[in-house]
Amino acid sequence: MGLIVYGGSVSPFVRKVRVVLNEKGVKYDLDQVNPFAPPPEFLKISPLKRIPVLRDTDLPQPNTLPDSSVICDYLEHKYPAPALYPSNPFERARALWYEEYADTSLAQSIGPGLFFERVIKKLLRQKPDESICASTLLDKVPPVFDYLEREIGDREFLVGKAFSIADIAVGTMLVNFEHAGETPDPKRWPKLAAYTKRVHERPSFKACIEEERPFVASIRAA
Ligand SMILES: N[C@@H](CCC(=O)N[C@@H](CS)C(=O)NCC(=O)O)C(=O)O
């Protein structure tokens, strides 16, 4: 009995949920689902054919929730401590904005043109197109990193004085940037580079990163 997370561990959205669970010290099972070839039953619980989906087996059916943002919000209400959403209404809304930005703009700048090319294509036994990676790094990534560099400024965390869903949402996308063999250039984005390191050193992130690294390395080396 308990929680089941359906999804592949290298998905940034799956990791977002896992980091929330780790921060809250909640045990769960991970059921690996490949969203590109999902089993037919999966489509019943994920109409958009996306990972992650959470199942709370303590509840009667239907007991599944798709979408990382929906899942994280549910987890915050079910397990309120430690809080990962600010209590101040404006700060909470700011945190949700950064989560939205990470899930859309940051994900789009890193996912298709870099992580997909260098990791997922290899997993699918296709040849990565390095010209796509080069143009992604030249055109797509810099405006997003420039924005984050400004927003982080001299703050330890993106919102208020505590680690929040904003840092988890941004941090998880930057893990995929690193899995694709890149790190934010500390000369161009010194605050973002230091922030990334700080966030990834938290035990909640470290546990995921260390579990994923050998798998990603084996895919990239294939
Ligand atoms: N808004 C969704 C996005 C999830 C998402 O895009 N997941 C990707 C994997 S990283 C997926 O399942 N892609 C498969 C597809 O789009 O067919 C969330 O936050 O959970």
Side-chain angles (χ1 to χ4, degrees):
M1 295 295 268
L3 299 177
I4 302 170
V5 176
Y6 297 95
S9 41
V10 295
S11 156
F13 299 99
V14 171
R15 191 183 309 108
K16 187 168 106 183
V17 169
R18 297 183 76 196
V19 169
V20 165
L21 287 162
N22 289 351
E23 287 283 336
K24 290 179 180 291
V26 177
K27 296 257 172 295
Y28 63 94
D29 288 318
L30 180 68
D31 191 333
Q32 296 280 348
V33 172
N34 172 358
F36 302 108
E41 323 84 77
F42 184 70
L43 300 181
K44 291 191 194 133
I45 59 171
S46 182
L48 297 178
K49 206 165 88 53
R50 289 193 179 141
I51 53 171
V53 170
L54 179 83
R55 187 187 295 280
D56 187 341
T57 64
D58 292 337
L59 302 175
Q61 292 201 19
N63 56 6
T64 56
L65 288 170
D67 194 277
S68 65
S69 302
V70 172
I71 297 168
C72 293
D73 179 71
Y74 171 65
L75 294 172
E76 179 74 2
H77 285 89
K78 183 160 178 175
Y79 308 100
L84 293 174
Y85 292 69
S87 56
N88 171 285
F90 189 73
E91 288 186 354
R92 184 187 158 91
R94 287 290 295 173
L96 293 180
W97 154 246
Y98 288 122
E99 182 184 19
E100 172 64 15
Y101 186 76
D103 288 1
T104 54
S105 209
L106 182 56
Q108 280 307 309
S109 74
I110 290 171
L114 210 57
F115 184 75
F116 186 82
E117 284 302 322
R118 288 188 180 159
V119 182
I120 302 296
K121 267 198 175 173
K122 285 224 135 175
L123 197 59
L124 300 173
R125 295 179 195 286
Q126 296 171 17
K127 201 171 171 316
D129 184 338
E130 273 301 321
S131 70
I132 295 180
C133 299
S135 70
T136 298
L137 287 166
L138 194 68
D139 301 326
K140 292 225 164 100
V141 169
V144 178
F145 280 13
D146 286 346
Y147 173 68
L148 290 173
E149 176 78 5
R150 281 199 307 275
E151 294 300 295
I152 291 156
D154 291 323
R155 275 188 283 275
E156 184 174 1
F157 305 110
L158 273 166
V159 181
K161 295 203 174 342
F163 181 72
S164 76
I165 190 68
D167 305 299
I168 296 174
V170 168
T172 189
M173 294 300 159
L174 293 166
V175 173
N176 284 63
F177 192 61
E178 295 189 359
H179 281 340
E182 302 291 338
T183 47
D185 179 353
K187 288 203 193 82
R188 182 156 180 194
W189 299 289
K191 292 173 198 297
L192 178 62
Y195 167 85
T196 305
K197 215 160 162 274
R198 244 178 3 251
V199 167
H200 290 179
E201 270 165 9
R202 288 181 76 88
S204 57
F205 263 102
K206 220 171 169 187
C208 292
I209 295 168
E210 283 178 0
E211 182 194 300
E212 295 163 31
R213 216 173 247 150
F215 175 62
V216 173
S218 71
I219 298 170
R220 295 201 60 207

